[in-house]
Amino acid sequence: MRIKAAAAVEKGKLEFRELELGEPQLGEVLVKVVACGVCHTDASTLELVVPSPLPMVLGHEGVGIVEKIGPGVQTLQPGDHVILSFPSCGCCPNCRNGRPYACDSSSQLFFNGIYQSGGTRIKDDEGRDVGSLFGQGGFADHCIVAERSAVKVDPEVDLRPLCSLACGAQTGAGAVLNRMKPVPGDSIAVFGCGAVGMSAIMAAKLAGCSVIIGVDAVPSRLDMALECGATHVINGKECPDISAEILRITGGLGTNFALESSGAAVLVKPMLLGLAKEGLAVVVSFAGSVDLDMSMIFVGSCRTLAGTVEGAAEPQSFIPRLVQFYKEGRFPVDKLAVYYPFDQIHQAFEDSRTGKSIKPILVF
Ligand SMILES: NC(=O)c1ccc[n+]([C@@H]2O[C@H](COP(=O)([O-])OP(=O)(O)OC[C@H]3O[C@@H](n4cnc5c(N)ncnc54)[C@H](O)[C@@H]3O)[C@@H](O)[C@H]2O)c1
Ligand SMILES: [Zn+2]
Ligand SMILES: [Zn+2]
């Protein structure tokens, strides 16, 4: 079928294209996309931060309605409402252990534009292969995804505000609820109050954290952090000593947990120095390189630095939990949503870059 899609055609160049989408293959479904969020990872892919073969249709936070099922699909049928999450192979040791976020094939399935059973699903008019980011390519009116990645949701719920549950919100909330697992009364500092960080703040509030510190450089984002549950905020560009400020807020103890979701390497050291003894810092951004003194930062203070993908979540079980929290008003991701017609995708990217929109959502 013919689709209208936004594809990365060369480094930094995102263009609308009319393309040919094939048929869903074994274990895959064709989805009519209702909306798709813009995540920082779309911009990173466009800039080839992770080298990816182009052209590729970007977009990996799609929500939509199943239009057709491929052979062997058992859990979905046409008409089902779905949130399209990240791909995984289903058969490596971590997938078999319920940890698809640590799938052995993650990097190929996320960034190579191909599907688990091989190849791409889109061709251009010259018959050349066009990839689909995250085995999805949600910046298009239709896309093909693996059944494993499509999470069925209650058709009563408006799908559009829920795009970020596919990636950004799952990453932030999951980093807290699945990786850190705070208990009521714990403290946390969240570096970077984008969609990922803001979801971590909401999750920290849900988990009963007593001190929740949001760090960002955009004043409107700091205001939103307070609205989402932060108890304190720090302007990371204006504060002369961020770790000292965190120690002051926590009565000299430091925070039990910290999340790095800013992508700014300069914040990593203050984040670690602001951690309490035995504290755990989780990095989800592509923050680049930092120079750290092991003995001073880790050994004496028994701190841990960890990385994680997609909030250490198994999407088929975690996303429905987030939807339930959303329905109960305890995970208000709709506060972060700013809607754009699909045609305004370049504006949506620009507003994400400048910090004007926390979660731009393209509506089809
Ligand atoms: N590991 C994963 O699975 C995963 C999934 C989704 C996103 N990500 C990554 O997580 C990160 C966050 O994603 P997002 O969509 O929330 O991005 P975003 O760009 O909306 O948010 C980043 C925030 O950090 C702030 N920031 C940047 N530099 C700063 C500085 N020096 N001081 C203070 N604040 C600063 C920005 O103002 C912005 O609010 C990105 O790097 C993204 O690629 C990772
Ligand atoms: Zn993402
Ligand atoms: Zn796997």
Side-chain angles (χ1 to χ4, degrees):
M1 70 183 293
R2 299 297 284 174
I3 57 165
K4 183 181 172 189
V9 292
E10 58 185 69
K11 183 174 187 267
K13 198 166 177 191
L14 184 67
E15 281 187 0
F16 288 109
R17 291 278 162 95
E18 290 248 337
L19 298 164
E20 188 65 25
L21 181 67
E23 291 288 313
Q25 297 185 11
L26 187 69
E28 296 172 357
V29 296
L30 171 72
V31 175
K32 179 180 168 34
V33 180
V34 168
C36 188
V38 175
C39 169
H40 193 104
T41 304
D42 293 301
S44 304
T45 307
L46 183 60
E47 293 305 327
L48 298 180
V49 172
V50 179
S52 303
L54 303 183
M56 189 186 299
V57 177
L58 302 183
H60 62 285
E61 286 192 344
V63 295
I65 299 168
V66 176
E67 214 162 81
K68 193 173 181 182
I69 60 170
V73 169
Q74 293 184 324
T75 59
L76 294 171
Q77 51 190 350
D80 282 345
H81 288 210
V82 281
I83 296 176
L84 308 179
S85 195
F86 65 92
S88 57
C89 78
C91 47
C92 72
N94 280 329
C95 279
R96 287 195 193 278
N97 277 322
R99 296 195 284 262
Y101 55 86
C103 172
D104 283 346
S105 303
S106 290
S107 52
Q108 296 97 293
L109 295 174
F110 282 25
F111 296 111
N112 282 2
I114 52 162
Y115 287 74
Q116 164 68 7
S117 59
T120 64
R121 298 291 174 269
I122 307 176
K123 299 240 183 246
D124 67 12
D125 287 347
E126 282 74 49
R128 287 177 301 219
D129 282 325
V130 177
S132 303
L133 183 64
F134 274 50
Q136 177 180 148
F139 294 163
D141 48 61
H142 288 78
C143 68
I144 288 174
V145 295
E147 176 185 20
R148 284 175 62 70
S149 310
V151 180
K152 191 167 152 178
V153 288
D154 173 0
E156 313 266 284
V157 189
D158 179 4
L159 283 170
R160 292 169 304 168
L162 303 183
C163 289
S164 63
L165 267 49
C167 177
Q170 170 166 256
T171 296
V176 174
L177 299 176
N178 301 326
R179 185 67 182 84
M180 300 173 189
K181 301 190 168 105
V183 296
D186 275 342
S187 54
I188 180 172
V190 175
F191 288 76
C193 301
V196 173
M198 227 58 101
S199 305
I201 288 170
M202 291 177 195
K205 183 177 176 191
L206 246 169
C209 287
S210 298
V211 175
I212 305 171
I213 305 169
V215 183
D216 206 284
V218 179
S220 59
R221 291 198 171 193
L222 294 174
D223 292 342
M224 180 59 88
L226 290 167
E227 223 182 281
C228 291
T231 55
H232 303 76
V233 289
I234 299 174
N235 187 320
K237 288 225 167 113
E238 286 175 3
C239 177
D241 188 341
I242 299 172
S243 53
E245 181 61 10
I246 291 174
L247 291 172
R248 190 193 65 74
I249 293 168
T250 53
L253 292 174
T255 56
N256 303 111
F257 301 101
L259 179 75
E260 167 33 47
S261 64
S262 74
V266 62
L267 296 179
V268 173
K269 204 167 169 185
M271 169 178 80
L272 293 168
L273 290 173
L275 265 188
K277 285 204 166 191
E278 290 258 282
L280 167 66
V282 175
V283 180
V284 298
S285 73
F286 302 105
S289 311
V290 267
D291 189 11
L292 300 172
D293 177 333
M294 295 296 138
S295 41
M296 191 183 100
I297 292 183
F298 295 109
V299 181
S301 299
C302 309
R303 296 174 176 126
T304 303
L305 176 61
T308 191
V309 172
E310 295 291 337
E314 195 290 295
Q316 296 289 353
S317 52
F318 191 58
I319 290 178
R321 278 172 63 201
L322 294 180
V323 173
Q324 184 57 33
F325 291 144
Y326 168 76
K327 283 188 187 168
E328 293 165 5
R330 297 197 291 160
F331 191 64
V333 275
D334 52 330
K335 279 183 196 288
L336 314 178
V338 183
Y339 298 99
Y340 298 78
F342 182 39
D343 286 346
Q344 289 178 20
I345 191 168
H346 295 98
Q347 189 64 50
F349 268 65
E350 178 61 9
D351 291 351
S352 171
R353 191 187 63 77
T354 60
K356 189 173 162 198
S357 300
I358 297 176
K359 177 51 65 181
I361 292 177
L362 304 167
V363 180
F364 292 81

